[in-house]
Amino acid sequence: MDIVGMGEKIVEQLVDSGLVKGIPDIYSLTKDDLLKLEGFADKKAENLLAGIINSKNQPLNRVIYGLGIHGVGEVAAM
């Protein structure tokens, strides 16, 4: 999905907290949701939300590749 600021540890936090159960849930996160998580302050939450918004502008082939579907690499996603 190429979301700047969303690393493995943040994904684990989001899943463990129940805020994210699947990829679509990422796009419904709010600043208030993020501020409930350990280590998040205003700036970090705003930066992550900006990264999520920017990820919506990715070309479809990058989104398909980012889903991690078995057997679908960068070439097949095109």
Side-chain angles (χ1 to χ4, degrees):
M1 302 307 295
D2 204 17
I3 299 175
V4 175
M6 184 175 279
E8 189 174 328
K9 289 183 181 185
I10 292 176
V11 172
E12 286 176 9
Q13 268 189 298
L14 292 168
V15 172
D16 291 345
S17 69
L19 290 171
V20 173
K21 294 182 177 109
I23 293 172
D25 295 334
I26 293 170
Y27 294 95
S28 63
L29 290 171
T30 65
K31 185 175 178 181
D32 289 335
D33 292 335
L34 296 176
L35 291 175
K36 294 175 188 174
L37 299 174
E38 183 180 331
F40 272 85
D42 283 338
K43 189 65 175 175
K44 185 173 180 178
E46 289 171 4
N47 287 343
L48 182 55
L49 290 173
I52 291 169
I53 290 168
N54 289 336
S55 76
K56 293 179 182 180
N57 297 322
Q58 295 293 331
L60 183 58
N61 64 317
R62 298 227 22 215
V63 174
I64 292 170
Y65 176 69
L67 292 174
I69 301 169
H70 180 71
V72 176
E74 288 184 63
V75 175
M78 295 185 140

